[in-house]
Amino acid sequence: MALNGSSEEKEQTASWLRWMHRHIHGSITEETRTELGMPDDVDNYGYIDELKAYIMQTLTWATISFQERFGKKLSTRAKDTIVLEYTCAGMRLGVPQSMLTTTYVDFLISFNHRLDRLDSGYELTGTVVHNVEASVISAKKHWITGLLVRAALMVGHSLLPERVKCKYQLNILKTRMARAIQWLLCATLWLVYPFLMLIPLRGMMCLLLVLEPPLRPILRSSLQAIHCMDILHDKPVLPKSKASETSSGLPYYILWLASGKQRASFLQMVLVRTLEAQLRSDSWANTLRAWLTYPLVIAETCAEYAFHAVDDTARLWRSQLYESSLFHSGREAKMPVHIGIIMDGNRRYARQIGEHVLVGHAKGAATASKVLEWWLKYLPNTVNYASPVYPKYLTCWAFSSENFERVAEERDGLFAMMTAEFKSLAFTSIVHLFRVRVRFIGGERHRFPQELLDTMDMVEEITSSYDGLFLQIAVGYGGRREVLDAVRSLVAQGKDITEQSLGMETYCAQRGIPPVSLIVRTSERRTSGFFLWDTQAAELHFIDKLWPQLTEIDWLRALRSFSTREIRGGK
Ligand SMILES: CC(C)=CCC/C(C)=C/CC/C(C)=C/COP(=O)(O)OP(=O)(O)O
């Protein structure tokens, strides 16, 4: 599951989960439903929330056990993150937040408690387990997949908590021989785990498609199902046309298989190229052409990845150097308390790469998510973060009041993009891990589409109890408008307009957020009215790059630049 994947990736993951959900629902018989006291409600997919929470928690347990058994020992933070990933997925599937946990310690308590309740209350029985097992085993598939599915069931079962394992025995594990095979499988997995981890999940799926062509239509149709569903509104996430074929005539799932958290891994790419060659081999002449050019295609992929590997290593070293000079130099680095970011240059970037302006905005949105990652990345390992030496407040200016005047196509595209990004924010594990309270500031709400407004309300609501860090997103924001609103509010309250009273009415002050200490802006050297009142003492840091080109080093450089400035506040 993508920790910081793109919002599109998260939409896909959620829709995928919901799609599987529907199928599992299909395997639950009327009898089981009555026995479990499940409501007959189709919208609920036949699951009571308790059972959904139980499934999410079992998966959480299995993932953590898998990592610990076959991979490396996990830190508390890593475990917290896994718990949160499933919590976010559970929330997207409609499990009430109160039934899920945000830390590993709470997860253990809650999981054991849930198991106790399931044991003593209604019998969860092996029926559900056996029905799922039967439907998985009996589904029509090629022998390779059949074997893999059995192996996955065996390994998966070995990862369950002891008390669940002995209660819900799988049919395929009844014989001594099967249990010996299970033991062997686990031992083999332990040996090959480090190599397996080099191929991400999408690479594995690609490998399966290479080995077993009958699976291709299944992936195509399930991806169509994924693309056709948006978890909150049950409507298409991507236009249907995108789900069929790419411009080169290959199925759309190729693009999906070739994507990854940041860049697809090398082995994944080799597998994608192999699958492409197979897919192109639809006639004698095409087969010959595809396989003759195959070595060249692979050589090109190797060269591309070698270049990226050098580039990435250099970047990593540089950011590590910056990081250590900032955070580990022995003295406490001086940090801005509140950083305000003006993202500028998306359209120019799109023009530079010869793409539609919305592609520039999409790249810009990806950079905004990366900034969130960089902001949180250097924090100490804690959910109850309280260190005074790190920027606690971050404000990103996403949409200005002037942006309403852009052409309808761009404006509507931006609205759709912001809706997807903000929705994704609500289900981003690091937001919950660091207890980031998200709030939106700005005016002219009536000019935004209802879906965007609902999404903003939902994000604010989901994070309303958090107080670790604060993320403000300015939408429909204009500096003059903010001052005007403050004055109008004072007049309406019949108060005197003084420096002090006006200072209490700004968007930040109303939320208890301190004035901005550092403004970071890309590509231009002006502040365009950003927090007109609350930036009197703000330091400015301009970056001569377009917003989508921003890197982690630029972010660290901004922090370092602030830490070296002498700030006397006029004294
Ligand atoms: C999560 C989150 C905060 C998402 C925000 C989505 C996003 C990237 C909004 C930026 C929109 C915008 C008007 C950027 C300025 O570039 P420009 O269009 O003015 O480019 P130009 O200066 O080249 O014309």
Side-chain angles (χ1 to χ4, degrees):
M1 220 164 282
L3 171 58
N4 291 311
S6 66
S7 46
E8 188 186 309
E9 229 169 28
K10 288 194 181 104
E11 285 293 326
Q12 288 173 354
T13 312
S15 305
W16 179 280
L17 283 167
R18 187 169 170 178
W19 180 78
M20 292 198 311
H21 208 195
R22 232 175 222 174
H23 281 250
I24 296 176
H25 163 64
S27 72
I28 294 182
T29 61
E30 210 44 59
E31 271 160 41
T32 323
R33 190 170 300 130
T34 320
E35 193 180 336
L36 298 180
M38 289 174 168
D40 241 353
D41 173 5
V42 181
D43 282 346
N44 207 8
Y45 298 97
Y47 277 93
I48 46 172
D49 291 334
E50 183 75 5
L51 189 54
K52 283 194 218 169
Y54 166 75
I55 291 173
M56 277 350 255
Q57 291 196 328
T58 312
L59 288 172
T60 312
W61 174 278
T63 307
I64 293 174
S65 320
F66 183 85
Q67 297 278 350
E68 296 242 290
R69 173 99 58 92
F70 302 114
K72 49 188 184 311
K73 216 130 181 61
L74 295 173
S75 66
T76 311
R77 178 162 171 170
K79 286 184 195 163
D80 283 348
T81 310
I82 293 174
V83 169
L84 277 163
E85 280 294 334
Y86 280 105
T87 296
C88 290
M91 275 154 52
R92 298 201 84 152
L93 289 170
V95 187
Q97 205 174 352
S98 57
M99 284 196 168
L100 298 161
T101 51
T102 50
T103 64
Y104 180 63
V105 175
D106 288 345
F107 159 76
L108 283 183
I109 299 169
S110 153
F111 191 33
N112 277 312
H113 189 57
R114 185 152 283 125
L115 290 177
D116 286 343
R117 269 213 311 275
L118 287 169
D119 278 347
S120 60
Y122 54 77
E123 265 287 283
L124 183 67
T125 69
T127 325
V128 174
V129 178
H130 288 145
N131 276 343
V132 173
E133 183 192 4
S135 69
V136 168
I137 295 282
S138 63
K140 198 167 156 274
K141 54 191 154 331
H142 198 257
W143 66 271
I144 299 178
T145 322
L147 279 182
L148 284 173
V149 163
R150 281 178 169 77
L153 276 179
M154 283 180 168
V155 174
H157 192 262
S158 80
L159 296 172
L160 293 174
E162 234 15 88
R163 55 192 289 196
V164 180
K165 212 164 30 182
C166 56
K167 192 152 187 216
Y168 307 122
Q169 198 50 268
L170 293 179
N171 282 330
I172 54 163
L173 277 173
K174 287 237 159 99
T175 64
R176 220 175 250 261
M177 176 71 146
R179 285 196 292 276
I181 294 176
Q182 183 190 31
W183 187 89
L184 259 176
L185 268 173
C186 290
T188 317
L189 200 57
W190 182 77
L191 282 175
V192 299
Y193 180 86
F195 307 102
L196 265 187
M197 285 305 106
L198 295 175
I199 312 180
L201 199 67
R202 286 175 200 211
M204 293 284 186
M205 289 180 82
C206 197
L207 180 64
L208 268 181
L209 297 182
V210 168
L211 294 175
E212 194 179 323
L215 279 180
R216 292 173 194 168
I218 300 177
L219 181 71
R220 183 200 283 261
S221 56
S222 44
L223 273 180
Q224 267 166 0
I226 287 168
H227 289 310
C228 290
M229 261 194 293
D230 162 342
I231 195 77
L232 294 184
H233 300 92
D234 217 353
K235 64 171 205 182
V237 174
L238 291 176
K240 265 209 159 173
S241 57
K242 259 189 123 183
S244 53
E245 274 191 356
T246 64
S247 53
S248 59
L250 291 175
Y252 178 67
Y253 61 71
I254 277 288
L255 296 185
W256 186 76
L257 289 169
S259 59
K261 194 174 152 193
Q262 273 166 11
R263 189 180 302 128
S265 81
F266 172 67
L267 282 174
Q268 181 183 348
M269 240 14 239
V270 169
L271 287 166
V272 170
R273 298 285 172 247
T274 313
L275 181 64
E276 274 178 7
Q278 275 192 357
L279 289 168
R280 287 188 204 284
S281 307
D282 52 1
S283 68
W284 187 87
N286 283 345
T287 308
L288 198 66
R289 194 172 313 129
W291 293 105
L292 279 178
T293 51
Y294 181 72
L296 274 179
V297 171
I298 295 296
E300 199 186 313
T301 308
C302 288
E304 192 188 323
Y305 272 77
F307 171 79
H308 285 314
V310 173
D311 194 43
D312 287 350
T313 314
R315 269 174 208 270
L316 186 74
W317 284 354
R318 282 179 68 191
S319 48
Q320 276 174 353
L321 214 68
Y322 267 101
E323 189 227 327
S324 65
S325 74
L326 259 174
F327 301 111
H328 307 293
S329 59
R331 66 190 157 81
E332 229 172 53
K334 186 170 64 202
M335 286 283 156
V337 177
H338 181 178
I339 303 181
I341 297 184
I342 308 177
M343 314 182 268
D344 200 11
N346 291 350
R347 288 188 297 188
R348 274 167 285 162
Y349 179 76
R351 272 179 227 122
Q352 237 178 47
I353 59 169
E355 290 281 1
H356 193 279
V357 287
L358 286 176
V359 175
H361 289 311
K363 300 265 181 211
T367 306
S369 325
K370 277 193 251 160
V371 167
L372 182 68
E373 210 178 300
W374 300 330
W375 176 40
L376 303 174
K377 182 173 162 181
Y378 297 106
L379 283 175
N381 170 28
T382 170
V383 176
N384 305 313
Y385 171 72
S387 166
V389 289
Y390 200 78
K392 190 168 175 166
Y393 307 90
L394 181 72
T395 302
C396 294
W397 195 358
F399 195 89
S400 70
S401 38
E402 289 78 31
N403 291 152
F404 282 115
E405 308 315 322
R406 295 205 172 173
V407 290
E409 190 197 8
E410 181 185 350
R411 199 183 49 218
D412 295 345
L414 268 169
F415 290 157
M417 204 172 289
M418 285 195 285
T419 307
E421 285 302 321
F422 299 160
K423 209 186 279 175
S424 154
L425 211 53
F427 305 107
T428 296
S429 56
I430 46 175
V431 167
H432 301 282
L433 182 65
F434 290 104
R435 303 178 61 77
V436 182
R437 180 156 188 184
V438 185
R439 281 190 288 201
F440 296 89
I441 51 167
E444 305 188 70
R445 273 178 71 97
H446 63 280
R447 296 180 78 178
F448 288 116
Q450 194 55 43
E451 190 182 356
L452 178 53
L453 293 174
D454 289 347
T455 305
M456 295 197 287
D457 291 345
M458 183 262 292
V459 182
E460 287 195 344
E461 160 87 39
I462 275 186
T463 61
S464 62
S465 62
Y466 296 159
D467 57 0
L469 297 160
F470 293 83
L471 172 66
Q472 289 197 109
I473 303 177
V475 280
Y477 175 87
R480 288 183 176 177
R481 172 74 193 229
E482 182 189 3
V483 176
L484 201 63
D485 279 352
V487 174
R488 280 184 181 148
S489 159
L490 286 176
V491 172
Q493 295 171 59
K495 288 188 182 162
D496 280 348
I497 299 172
T498 62
E499 237 183 72
Q500 209 192 7
S501 64
L502 210 146
M504 305 289 280
E505 289 295 324
T506 61
Y507 294 157
C508 283
Q510 280 178 342
R511 291 165 176 80
I513 291 178
V516 178
S517 14
L518 173 70
I519 293 186
V520 178
R521 181 176 189 153
T522 53
S523 81
E524 302 286 351
R525 290 172 176 252
R526 55 176 183 271
T527 56
S528 307
F530 186 42
F531 286 138
L532 273 181
W533 192 270
D534 279 322
T535 49
Q536 165 143 300
E539 294 289 317
L540 304 179
H541 182 81
F542 297 114
I543 300 170
D544 293 327
K545 277 183 179 177
L546 303 172
W547 174 253
Q549 295 169 322
L550 194 85
T551 63
E552 187 176 358
I553 292 177
D554 296 320
W555 164 258
L556 289 170
R557 231 179 232 154
L559 293 184
R560 195 180 67 167
S561 158
F562 183 91
S563 76
T564 55
R565 295 183 196 193
E566 205 171 304
I567 301 162
R568 290 184 300 274
K571 290 168 208 146

